[in-house]
Amino acid sequence: MRAFIKRLLSLYPVRRPLSILALMAIDAVALLAGLLIAGYLVAGENRVSEIFYLAPVLLTVWLSLFAANGLYDRAPERRNPGALLAAILLGAGLFAFGSVIYPETQFVLGEILVAAALALLLDGGLRLLYEQGIEFIYRRGFGLITTVVVGDEESRRKVRRIIEQQPSAYSVVGELGMSGDRVDLGLLRRILDRTGARNVVLAGAERLPDEEFLSLLHSMRLRGVRVRVVPGTITLMSGRSILSQRVGMPLMEVGYPQLDNNQRLMKRVLDIAGAAGGLVVLSPLLLAVAVLIKLTSPGPVFFKQKRVGADETVFLCYKFRSMYQDAERRQAELEAENEADGAIFKIRKDPRVTPVGRFIRRWSIDELPQLINVLKGEMSLVGPRPLPLRDYERMDEHHKQRLSAVPGITGYWQISGRSDLSFEEMVRLDLYYIKNWSLSLDLKIILKTLKVVVTHEGAY
């Protein structure tokens, strides 16, 4: 149970919704209790049932005011007692105004003032207990945001000392020095892989050239790792710094243009809808193929292989097993017969492929389990194909530029010849896709993929 809670709280996308829901529940309980007690004290028992009847409207108005006053934002904003007081007084004012327009609510000024005072005391107390509980959870090691600190030695020491002294959600699990005016991205990736850190605090960002800084941001974005920067003196003097997570120092969270975020969110929505819909619609076919594979050759139904995805992250890629069990061991024996150039390995009449495997490869059915990878966020419906570790290790550095996008089940390469193209042509097409990506291009590729699958172009 402890491990489950720790895992749940470590998922950053879940933390914010959970926090907001918990705070809204606290506020609703405090506000409703204030209204009920005030109603009972002023008008007696009969008033309680009337307030219950009005409760949905009253709570909706009051909670909306709480949201407008930043009481569901991050810790520094939501802990402002002035914002809580302002939201409750605004709500009381609206109720007083509403009671004049709609006298059937039967609210009187005394009842409203008592309700506001009680709600302020109850909500303030409950919110204080909530914040104390959050700090207790952090001290027990739950919900910590694992962090890698990047910067020169002195800056890293200062950041680490402040984080360790403050009861915050941050936990330093790794450090990386800066080599002059650059960050070793390869080493940073290895540290992130080893520690599982989901946050990077960068001290000394002003010393990085623009191109170096943007490469770092792009790399971290592909990994879903947040980047926060310790601002320099000039930035602090401008008054625009953002105090993040009450960590004891000003931290600026670096974001991307909203338009770009919206497009990528839409791409993710398309991925989830397409993958979930595909698994449901194709479930009879998937089940039939699974049975055929199990009946015709020994071994598991699915083939799981380590592949290299966005920003050189390694994940398990799912496919229907189309080869005999000893296929990976036999690959070393067949290297001399490789018909593909560059880093990839392909043989048209591969002796390791089973009869059923040859059929499902011809119709690209073996790739369908990768819809699971799409749901997990490891792949997209459209993007560069993820290559096995064997192929990745044989790539030149300039080939690895194709890893600057989330890999896909289909892509520009698949609709342009697939296995009939050389490795260099595949890389060139992948880079073209990355540089010219748009949702409309994704949709065109998906439609053209259907034609390619039906005509078996480049499939073997």
Side-chain angles (χ1 to χ4, degrees):
M1 185 64 179
R2 179 187 173 92
F4 172 76
I5 295 173
K6 201 165 187 176
R7 173 64 179 162
L8 179 65
L9 292 175
S10 68
L11 299 173
Y12 195 85
V14 174
R15 294 161 61 97
R16 289 282 296 137
L18 283 177
S19 175
I20 292 170
L21 287 174
L23 287 169
M24 290 183 72
I26 287 171
D27 295 336
V29 168
L31 295 170
L32 184 58
L35 288 165
L36 291 172
I37 294 170
Y40 179 80
L41 292 175
V42 174
E45 283 186 31
N46 293 334
R47 184 62 175 152
V48 172
S49 59
E50 294 172 355
I51 289 175
F52 265 121
Y53 178 75
L54 295 170
V57 175
L58 300 177
L59 291 180
T60 299
V61 171
W62 230 333
L63 293 179
S64 298
L65 290 172
F66 275 46
N69 279 271
L71 290 168
Y72 301 124
D73 290 346
R74 292 176 179 171
E77 292 79 19
R78 72 169 186 251
R79 291 172 176 170
N80 181 3
L84 178 62
L85 177 61
I88 289 179
L89 290 179
L90 278 171
L94 281 176
F95 291 167
F97 181 72
S99 66
V100 174
I101 299 176
Y102 301 103
E104 56 268 28
T105 62
Q106 299 182 22
F107 274 112
V108 296
L109 184 59
E111 183 183 8
I112 293 171
L113 291 176
V114 172
L118 289 171
L120 181 61
L121 290 172
L122 287 170
D123 207 19
L126 289 174
R127 276 179 166 258
L128 180 61
L129 286 175
Y130 173 81
E131 299 299 345
Q132 293 296 319
I134 292 295
E135 291 189 2
F136 175 77
I137 288 172
Y138 291 157
R139 286 195 295 270
R140 293 294 298 272
F142 289 105
L144 294 177
I145 301 173
T146 48
T147 300
V148 173
V149 180
V150 179
D152 59 66
E153 187 175 353
E154 183 180 357
S155 298
R156 297 200 314 272
R157 185 170 60 252
K158 288 179 180 177
V159 171
R160 186 177 63 251
R161 184 178 68 250
I162 293 172
I163 289 177
E164 290 172 352
Q165 289 174 348
Q166 295 288 328
S168 71
Y170 285 67
S171 173
V172 178
V173 295
E175 295 184 27
L176 176 64
M178 289 174 60
S179 304
D181 59 352
R182 65 181 298 273
V183 175
D184 188 338
L185 270 183
L187 182 54
L188 177 57
R189 290 174 183 133
R190 290 193 291 275
I191 293 173
L192 292 170
D193 288 338
R194 187 182 73 249
T195 62
R198 310 307 302 159
N199 188 56
V200 168
V201 172
L202 179 60
E206 64 277 0
R207 295 198 297 273
L208 291 177
D210 291 347
E211 186 175 346
E212 189 80 17
F213 186 56
L214 290 174
S215 296
L216 170 68
L217 291 184
H218 184 67
S219 176
M220 295 304 99
R221 177 181 185 146
L222 287 170
R223 289 174 168 265
V225 173
R226 292 176 178 268
V227 177
R228 291 178 171 86
V229 173
V230 180
T233 306
I234 300 299
T235 305
L236 285 171
M237 290 175 64
S238 72
R240 292 192 296 269
S241 59
I242 302 170
L243 186 64
S244 174
Q245 297 285 343
R246 198 185 178 190
V247 77
M249 74 183 107
L251 290 178
M252 297 181 67
E253 184 170 341
V254 183
Y256 281 78
Q258 192 61 39
L259 178 62
D260 182 59
N261 283 335
N262 289 340
Q263 286 197 62
R264 292 189 182 278
L265 175 62
M266 290 175 67
K267 179 178 174 69
R268 182 63 186 144
V269 169
L270 176 65
D271 284 342
I272 293 173
L279 287 171
V280 171
V281 172
L282 298 172
S283 55
L285 172 64
L286 299 177
L287 183 60
V289 171
V291 171
L292 277 174
I293 293 171
K294 199 66 180 174
L295 292 177
T296 55
S297 65
V301 170
F302 295 107
F303 174 65
K304 303 174 186 177
Q305 185 181 50
K306 287 184 177 180
R307 298 210 174 187
V308 182
D311 199 48
E312 304 182 31
T313 53
V314 178
F315 68 97
L316 279 179
C317 182
Y318 303 111
K319 297 179 70 174
F320 277 126
R321 182 174 58 83
S322 60
M323 294 185 174
Y324 294 105
Q325 269 189 290
D326 60 350
E328 287 195 285
R329 180 182 59 78
R330 291 173 61 190
Q331 181 167 327
E333 303 169 5
L334 297 169
E335 286 286 355
E337 300 179 36
N338 185 15
E339 297 174 9
D341 66 338
I344 56 178
F345 180 88
K346 287 283 184 182
I347 302 176
R348 284 184 181 272
K349 296 182 179 179
D350 196 322
R352 300 171 300 162
V353 179
T354 65
V356 171
R358 204 166 299 283
F359 172 79
I360 62 176
R361 281 184 165 211
R362 183 169 177 77
W363 288 94
S364 300
I365 298 171
D366 60 321
E367 310 282 358
L368 292 179
Q370 287 162 32
L371 292 171
I372 299 170
N373 290 114
V374 175
L375 286 178
K376 292 172 67 177
E378 297 162 338
M379 293 179 63
S380 174
L381 293 178
V382 182
R385 283 296 296 161
L387 297 180
L389 286 173
R390 176 258 180 210
D391 299 353
Y392 165 76
E393 290 165 357
R394 300 186 181 205
M395 284 184 185
D396 294 331
E397 282 304 311
H398 72 276
H399 294 147
K400 294 179 182 178
Q401 293 179 54
R402 67 187 298 277
L403 302 175
S404 62
V406 178
I409 295 179
T410 186
Y412 209 64
W413 171 58
Q414 282 86 338
I415 65 170
S416 304
R418 297 173 74 181
S419 299
D420 293 333
L421 299 178
S422 68
F423 178 71
E424 289 294 338
E425 287 174 318
M426 180 192 75
V427 172
R428 179 176 57 81
L429 291 171
D430 286 339
L431 293 180
Y432 173 85
Y433 168 79
I434 292 169
K435 292 178 181 178
N436 295 276
W437 173 80
S438 66
L439 282 175
S440 60
L441 179 59
D442 275 5
L443 292 173
K444 288 177 183 176
I445 290 173
I446 290 172
L447 292 174
K448 286 188 177 181
T449 298
L450 299 176
K451 173 179 175 292
V452 169
V453 168
V454 171
T455 57
H456 316 303
E457 290 180 25
Y460 58 85

